[in-house]
Amino acid sequence: MNLILLGAPGAGKGTQAELLMEKLSIPGISTGNMLREAVANGSEVGKKAKYCMDNGLLVSDDIIMDIVAERVAKPDCANGFILDGVPRTLAQAEALEQRGVKIDHVVSIEIDDSVIEGRMTGRRVCGKCGASYHVVANPSKVDGVCDSCGGELMIRKDDAPETVRRRLEVYHEQTEVLKDFYAKLGKLRTVEGNQSIEGANEDILKAIGARE
């Protein structure tokens, strides 16, 4: 089963991908890992990617799509795969189709922006040991102090309200259009994201026909 997970930053795609990899026994393939593998393997497309990266250039959609096509043709993807971080744009989705990369289901994890903002802006990380907390879901015993080592809890730049809002804007502008694209192909499945991790996972498995 070949899957794509869609959803705004903070919707829980990474967590759900890990659960699906385990339950369906298929690999998750991230853009970053694919690029690193292609460069390390020294394939033609890997050499092109390396040139871009070494010279501070953005790796083009064409190169990324060639790398995706090369990666999903490997034996470990014979029974399926989960694409992580690609496609991000309509051009990339169209390029996947043109290269004959077959996608069975595209699961969109639906969650309101306000819930995502609450999730992400409430995160706190210990500056000393890296332990993770949340002001509502998993607060430290003493406000602003790590339970494990007594270090100061900080807000990562990625979790600052203005950064979160900007990331959501980019998602709505560039990536949300993919829902229409895959809906027209009859491949879109939507799942409510504002529920327990286990509940969302069960709904995803049902949506893709892996559960009765």
Side-chain angles (χ1 to χ4, degrees), residues 79-128:
N79 293 321
F81 54 82
I82 301 169
L83 285 183
D84 175 13
V86 64
R88 283 191 189 277
T89 63
L90 189 55
Q92 288 184 354
E94 289 169 344
L96 276 183
E97 291 290 314
Q98 286 159 11
R99 281 163 175 74
V101 176
K102 180 175 164 282
I103 300 298
D104 297 306
H105 303 287
V106 177
V107 178
S108 178
I109 302 172
E110 301 289 320
I111 189 159
D112 287 343
D113 284 5
S114 58
V115 175
I116 286 176
E117 282 191 41
R119 274 187 189 180
M120 295 175 76
T121 58
R123 287 177 185 164
R124 299 291 183 270
V125 178
C126 176
K128 222 171 175 184

Side-chain angles (χ1 to χ4, degrees), residues 2-179:
N2 303 340
L3 304 174
I4 291 171
L5 292 185
L6 290 180
K13 296 186 297 297
T15 302
Q16 292 301 334
E18 283 178 23
L19 289 170
L20 292 168
M21 284 159 59
E22 191 181 320
K23 291 184 179 180
L24 302 174
S25 300
I26 56 177
I29 301 170
S30 78
T31 314
N33 287 345
M34 275 187 289
L35 279 168
R36 283 187 287 276
E37 274 179 40
V39 169
N41 292 340
S43 65
E44 279 309 307
V45 70
K47 286 174 188 170
K48 289 178 187 172
K50 186 176 188 303
Y51 175 83
C52 294
M53 290 154 80
D54 287 350
N55 289 279
L57 305 170
L58 277 177
V59 181
S60 70
D61 277 358
D62 273 350
I63 293 172
I64 288 173
M65 292 305 113
D66 286 343
I67 287 171
V68 173
E70 188 175 83
R71 177 66 186 85
V72 300
K74 291 189 175 176
D76 65 331
C77 293
N79 293 321
F81 54 82
I82 301 169
L83 285 183
D84 175 13
V86 64
R88 283 191 189 277
T89 63
L90 189 55
Q92 288 184 354
E94 289 169 344
L96 276 183
E97 291 290 314
Q98 286 159 11
R99 281 163 175 74
V101 176
K102 180 175 164 282
I103 300 298
D104 297 306
H105 303 287
V106 177
V107 178
S108 178
I109 302 172
E110 301 289 320
I111 189 159
D112 287 343
D113 284 5
S114 58
V115 175
I116 286 176
E117 282 191 41
R119 274 187 189 180
M120 295 175 76
T121 58
R123 287 177 185 164
R124 299 291 183 270
V125 178
C126 176
K128 222 171 175 184
C129 74
S132 194
Y133 298 88
H134 191 280
V135 293
V136 176
N138 178 34
S140 57
K141 287 173 187 152
V142 178
D143 189 32
V145 179
C146 177
D147 294 348
S148 303
C149 73
E152 184 186 352
L153 300 186
M154 305 158 71
I155 301 173
R156 295 183 318 164
K157 192 179 175 188
D158 274 2
D159 296 331
E162 59 277 13
T163 309
V164 172
R165 280 192 284 272
R166 180 62 196 135
R167 288 175 70 195
L168 286 168
E169 278 171 23
V170 170
Y171 169 74
H172 291 307
E173 284 166 15
Q174 295 184 1
T175 311
E176 204 167 29
V177 292
L178 297 180
K179 291 201 293 191

Side-chain angles (χ1 to χ4, degrees), residues 12 15-16 19 119 193 195-204:
T15 302
Q16 292 301 334
L19 289 170
R119 274 187 189 180
Q195 59 174 315
S196 70
I197 290 167
E198 297 77 15
N201 190 251
E202 198 60 32
D203 284 353
I204 290 171

